[in-house]
Amino acid sequence: MLAMPEVNYIKHLRDNEDLTINEIAKKTGRNWRTIKRYADGDVPLERLPSTNRGMMYEEGYGEIVDIWLEEDMKLKHKERRTSKRMFEQLRDEHDFKGSYRTVCEYVQYRRPVLKAEKATRYERLEHPPGEAQVDFGQMTVVKDGAYKDLKILIMSFPFSNAGFAYPLPAENSECFLEGLKQLFKQAGGVPTHLRIDNLSAAVISIGKGDKRTYTDSFLRFQAHYGFEVQACNPSSGHEKGNVEKKVGYTRNNLFVTAPEMEDFPQLATWLQMKMQEDMNRPHYEKSVLIKDLFEEDRRLLKVLPIRDLEIYSLGESTLNKYGEITVDGEKFVIHKGKIKHSLVIKKEWNTFTCFTNDGEIVYQDFRAYMHNTRAIPWLDIFDDWTRKPRAVKYSRFYKYLPERVRVYLTIKPEEIKQRLKGFKALLEKHSLEEIQLALETENRFERMPHELGYLIEAKKASYPEKMPESHTPSILNDYQTDLHTYDRKLIPQLEGRVSQ
């Protein structure tokens, strides 16, 4: 049954705007039969609540059948009771006096109702101390004047609602296990049980029920740290609802607006401090500080192993005819490698190392995703600022500008609009880094943006700076030619005068 505002709108289109049934159906997105019923029919009356009557409802037999139906939903289809079997059990075991048809009609009505209720009804989970949940959340930071998308691994303890977070560049196995190791250190121990989603970093395949096939690296990690795994069912995010909410809470409170990042260790330290500060608030239900409740969690945590587990994976790659290997979809030139020879690739969460079969290191570099960034749309931002110059200092993007650029734009309030407009034109030709460099070389805050543009272009047009080299002896680098010697050779009569 449609809501009355929609019914009223349909009748308005039909009676006042003379639209056809098909035109109304297209405009509203409803089926034409539904439109026909409401457009040309009577106004529907509000339905009165109906009371189910009969022995299935009034004498409690329906409640028994409901229990059987819910039990059978957990069994294989061939093991479930039929309507006939339920009728026989009611008749023989519960002195049911009704007919088989009565039972069939009740089952036919109640089975889809219970199935729908099961789809939307979640049992309230009781979480004992010491158990944790873990999940990734995608967050955005600003690094070197550009956006960088990160994966923040968050571990929460449902009993106390305490949370810990660690930043990572990706969701692969190396990052996931490195993040878990760091989170265990932050918590001061290992959870007794860890509930995880069916992450590809840990789970290879999903079997029936709670059967999972885990990766060798995850099983090795689990054996080293000694926790039990509780895998969620597919499409059942509510089973780790605490960490799901913690991900959203962390994003809303720490990553809006995007914080600035120097490097991963700095961001990890900042996140740890913020998550610890967050424990100084009361639990949402228990009216006790989270940090006090977490002491009960901490008391039941398992002791951290004496030795850290080194997290890495091994693979092989063959050098192509150009002397290149492919790691994470990116090509790298290996100058020390031999064409068509295989190299052993050791991948850690942030770097990779190439070894020959003899164990010699021939190459080492950061993994490609460590440098992935997204440009901040400065042209669009400056376009907005030129329309509202007074909003510059209050904008979320103002703090992402280089320091000298911030000073240059706001040092003269009476010129801010003119400078913003000129700076936008400057950005269309030059990068923000080039402009910042031009402002750093000398004090040029008095110059207008177009003058800075001339200086930058002149710098590019001049001769390149002398390349540093260390082969020429310092005595020759500092040598100054004495032109008087040439004068004496060319004009001997001037020798006395020159020598004076």
Side-chain angles (χ1 to χ4, degrees):
M1 181 177 176
L2 300 183
M4 278 310 301
E6 193 169 3
V7 174
N8 196 34
Y9 180 59
I10 291 171
K11 286 191 170 293
H12 168 77
L13 295 177
R14 182 65 161 164
D15 298 335
N16 298 335
E17 298 189 16
D18 294 327
L19 297 185
T20 65
I21 298 298
N22 285 334
E23 288 173 339
I24 299 174
K26 186 176 182 180
K27 192 176 185 68
T28 60
R30 294 286 185 179
N31 185 277
W32 71 271
R33 292 187 179 85
T34 303
I35 299 300
K36 175 68 175 174
R37 183 168 68 252
Y38 287 104
D40 295 335
D42 296 329
V43 177
L45 298 175
E46 187 176 1
R47 292 182 179 178
L48 295 173
S50 59
T51 303
N52 292 316
R53 298 184 179 277
M55 60 193 311
M56 296 298 293
Y57 300 96
E58 296 174 350
E59 299 182 22
Y61 293 109
E63 186 177 350
I64 298 173
V65 174
D66 285 352
I67 294 172
W68 291 346
L69 289 172
E70 288 186 341
E71 289 177 346
D72 289 354
M73 286 180 189
K74 302 175 183 178
L75 303 175
K76 295 180 180 179
H77 195 276
K78 65 180 182 180
E79 297 176 358
R80 298 176 184 176
R81 301 174 180 89
T82 62
S83 298
K84 183 179 179 181
R85 179 58 184 152
M86 291 184 188
F87 166 70
E88 292 173 349
Q89 280 191 264
L90 287 174
R91 182 193 62 196
D92 299 340
E93 300 175 12
H94 300 281
D95 197 26
F96 179 65
K97 302 299 183 183
S99 66
Y100 171 58
R101 182 181 179 86
T102 301
V103 176
C104 287
E105 289 177 350
Y106 183 83
V107 171
Q108 187 177 10
Y109 166 68
R110 288 295 293 170
R111 181 176 279 134
V113 173
L114 293 174
K115 188 175 182 181
E117 288 178 357
K118 181 185 177 183
T120 57
R121 184 185 70 236
Y122 306 137
E123 294 181 4
R124 183 175 180 81
L125 300 176
E126 295 297 335
H127 300 283
E131 292 188 358
Q133 301 176 359
V134 68
D135 197 13
F136 277 107
Q138 181 163 314
M139 317 287 178
T140 300
V141 298
V142 172
K143 186 178 187 301
D144 299 329
Y147 284 133
K148 187 173 183 64
D149 296 323
L150 299 180
K151 306 294 183 180
I152 307 298
L153 187 64
I154 294 180
M155 182 172 68
S156 69
F157 290 82
F159 174 80
S160 62
N161 199 33
F164 301 88
Y166 194 78
L168 296 159
E171 287 189 23
N172 56 34
S173 179
E174 298 82 31
C175 289
F176 177 56
L177 298 181
E178 178 68 25
L180 277 183
K181 181 174 75 173
Q182 298 299 331
L183 290 175
F184 291 167
K185 288 182 179 180
Q186 290 183 18
V190 181
T192 57
H193 294 76
L194 190 67
R195 184 172 288 275
I196 65 171
D197 205 345
N198 296 295
L199 299 167
S200 59
V203 179
I204 297 175
S205 62
I206 302 172
K208 293 182 179 180
D210 59 352
K211 293 183 179 179
R212 300 287 185 277
T213 303
Y214 296 102
T215 63
D216 287 344
S217 56
F218 181 74
L219 292 175
R220 188 180 301 111
F221 185 89
Q222 180 192 3
H224 183 79
Y225 286 94
F227 57 87
E228 296 293 327
V229 184
Q230 296 175 334
C232 294
N233 291 311
S235 303
S236 300
H238 65 279
E239 294 181 357
K240 55 178 179 62
N242 185 264
V243 73
E244 294 273 1
K245 291 181 179 179
K246 187 68 72 175
V247 169
Y249 178 86
T250 303
R251 178 183 294 109
N252 294 334
N253 286 273
L254 300 183
F255 290 87
V256 178
T257 61
E260 293 186 83
M261 168 188 175
E262 297 176 10
D263 50 30
F264 278 95
Q266 169 267 330
L267 186 62
T269 302
W270 177 80
L271 261 180
Q272 183 177 1
M273 179 188 68
K274 289 295 184 181
M275 298 301 278
Q276 287 178 344
E277 290 176 356
D278 185 64
M279 293 190 197
N280 293 317
R281 62 187 175 92
H283 188 276
Y284 59 91
E285 281 185 343
K286 301 176 182 178
S287 299
V288 180
L289 291 181
I290 292 176
K291 67 177 183 180
D292 295 334
L293 288 171
F294 181 65
E295 291 303 317
E296 184 69 15
D297 275 316
R298 195 195 301 273
R299 189 177 61 83
L300 295 177
L301 296 180
K302 296 186 175 183
V303 178
L304 287 166
I306 297 176
R307 177 181 60 85
D308 276 348
L309 182 66
E310 188 179 359
I311 307 298
Y312 63 87
S313 65
L314 295 178
E316 286 191 2
S317 185
T318 303
L319 275 83
N320 62 18
K321 61 181 180 181
Y322 304 107
E324 301 170 332
I325 62 168
T326 302
V327 180
D328 296 332
E330 295 286 331
K331 294 187 184 305
F332 297 86
V333 178
I334 312 298
H335 296 288
K336 294 183 179 180
K338 296 181 180 179
I339 306 302
K340 302 299 182 182
H341 280 214
S342 293
L343 296 178
V344 177
I345 312 298
K346 177 185 177 182
K347 292 183 181 179
E348 297 175 81
W349 71 274
N350 58 343
T351 63
F352 70 93
T353 308
C354 302
F355 298 84
T356 64
N357 291 328
D358 297 328
E360 178 189 0
I361 297 177
V362 294
Y363 190 79
Q364 190 172 35
D365 204 345
F366 287 103
R367 298 183 71 167
Y369 51 58
M370 294 292 290
H371 306 296
N372 291 344
T373 57
R374 288 187 294 116
I376 297 176
W378 286 115
L379 286 176
D380 294 337
I381 294 167
F382 271 88
D383 191 43
D384 292 338
W385 285 351
T386 53
R387 291 194 294 269
K388 297 180 180 179
R390 287 185 294 179
V392 172
K393 285 190 174 182
Y394 308 104
S395 170
R396 68 168 62 187
F397 300 102
Y398 178 70
K399 64 180 180 180
Y400 304 144
L401 290 169
E403 182 181 359
R404 282 188 166 267
V405 173
R406 292 201 301 266
V407 174
Y408 175 78
L409 291 174
T410 58
I411 193 171
K412 292 187 175 182
E414 68 279 4
E415 295 182 4
I416 186 169
K417 185 171 184 177
Q418 186 179 359
R419 291 196 174 201
L420 287 170
K421 191 174 181 179
F423 206 92
K424 181 191 173 187
L426 196 61
L427 274 176
E428 293 175 353
K429 296 182 179 180
H430 307 287
S431 69
L432 200 59
E433 291 74 20
E434 290 176 328
I435 301 171
Q436 166 76 356
L437 186 61
L439 290 170
E440 282 182 348
T441 52
E442 58 181 281
N443 193 347
R444 293 172 175 167
F445 293 144
E446 298 298 323
R447 297 183 181 270
M448 296 305 293
H450 68 277
E451 295 177 304
L452 291 178
Y454 297 150
L455 292 171
I456 295 172
E457 290 171 3
K459 178 77 174 178
K460 290 182 177 179
S462 63
Y463 289 107
E465 295 181 4
K466 183 179 178 181
M467 295 180 61
E469 53 90 14
S470 57
H471 301 289
T472 303
S474 59
I475 190 172
L476 295 180
N477 281 329
D478 301 331
Y479 179 77
Q480 298 292 330
T481 303
D482 185 4
L483 298 179
H484 294 162
T485 303
Y486 293 95
D487 291 340
R488 286 193 296 270
K489 292 291 183 183
L490 292 173
I491 310 176
Q493 61 270 27
L494 297 178
E495 182 176 353
R497 215 179 303 169
V498 170
S499 61
Q500 292 175 3

